[in-house]
Amino acid sequence: METKRILVTGGAGFIGTNLVNELKKRGHEVLAVDLLHNERENYVRADVRYYRQIERVFEENDDFDFVYHLAAEYGRWNGEGYYENLWETNVIGTKHMIRLQEKLGYKMIFFSSAEVYGDYEGEMSEDVMINNPIKDTYQMNDYAITKWAGELMCMNSATMFNTETVRVRPVNCYGPHEEYSPYKGFIPIFIYKSLHNQPYDVYMGHKRIIDYVEDTANTFANIVDNFIPGEAYNIGSKQEWEKEIKEYSDIVLDAVGCDDSLVTYHESEDFTTKVKTIDFSKAIRDLKHDPKVSPEEGIKKTVKWMKKFYNIE
């Protein structure tokens, strides 16, 4: 395998950390960029909201073959509460990366989200976003809108400046290196709360697919080996692993070793899609996407990591 020079924005985040580890394991030269100071090797601090900061990363390093652009503000309610950060990072920050791509010519992997499909009721294949008019019932939050805006900017740049970008739409990724915050996905919230004997809510009637981060990172890393400009990929786990959110809660409680006295059950959650049926066939075909870790196994691994991280016996 030919060694590539790769930059990962958001490289100290949850998915970014796992992706950087996988790329390094494959022998690539990887530089991670993120907001905070830390002691990691091959890491530099920069905020993609500020063109000067990210431009300096490129000025002070040799040319990169690929840039994985993960840096983003994540989540619906985070996006509502901190909308300035959301729009500046997800839209302006992405525009900075595209401007530099137009200037320097690197190949980019842009991280969108399956949230762009919003409340679409059919099977969510990648061409849904092209073949169907955008409706207000689809993208019901600013986070989803910023991710679709990022995709549109990538496509516009490809048309105007011949830039080469692959867009990926992750689906409910979870696993080690994801610290708790109230804005995270339901799996880390359930695990953190149950480990700390804190109450949490479960909404009935909602079905989801979750994807263990090491499976996801493996597929993301495969893009280097089969980079097809202009493509978009849904990347999640196996359709047959789809479960009700209550079932996931039960798996978490079993892995932690507690009962459901912490849980308050509700009929359903407003402004939230009931069922997301997502087509992963393109990622399987082009990127050798082959999830190995079942929800039961992945949740056990994540519980183990969180116990260690939060010093829980």
Side-chain angles (χ1 to χ4, degrees), residues 38 65 67 72 76 103 142 188 190 200 241 264 283 289:
N38 67 45
D65 302 300
V67 172
R76 176 174 45 148
K103 176 182 177 182
D142 279 20
F190 290 175
Y200 65 87
W241 288 347
T264 300
H289 182 54

Side-chain angles (χ1 to χ4, degrees), residues 156-250:
N156 288 347
S157 179
T159 299
M160 297 171 67
F161 299 99
N162 297 313
T163 50
E164 296 183 324
T165 299
V166 165
R167 293 163 285 130
V168 295
R169 297 169 184 162
V171 181
N172 290 321
C173 193
Y174 76 100
H177 301 291
E178 184 171 24
E179 300 174 32
Y180 168 79
S181 96
Y183 301 113
K184 295 290 187 178
F186 60 89
I187 293 295
I189 289 176
F190 290 175
I191 295 175
Y192 180 89
K193 295 280 191 179
S194 58
L195 283 172
H196 290 84
N197 200 36
Q198 296 176 6
Y200 65 87
D201 299 309
V202 169
Y203 294 90
M204 309 294 282
H206 296 275
K207 297 185 76 174
R208 291 290 185 271
I209 291 175
I210 62 173
D211 193 37
Y212 188 64
V213 69
E214 290 180 8
D215 285 335
T216 313
N218 184 67
T219 300
F220 292 149
N222 288 346
I223 296 173
V224 169
D225 302 317
N226 192 31
F227 185 91
I228 306 175
E231 283 289 6
Y233 296 101
N234 296 326
I235 298 178
S237 72
K238 296 180 179 179
Q239 193 66 51
E240 57 264 33
W241 288 347
E242 183 179 64
K243 299 179 185 296
E244 291 238 1
I245 290 179
K246 182 187 181 302
E247 293 181 74
Y248 291 122
S249 174
D250 292 342

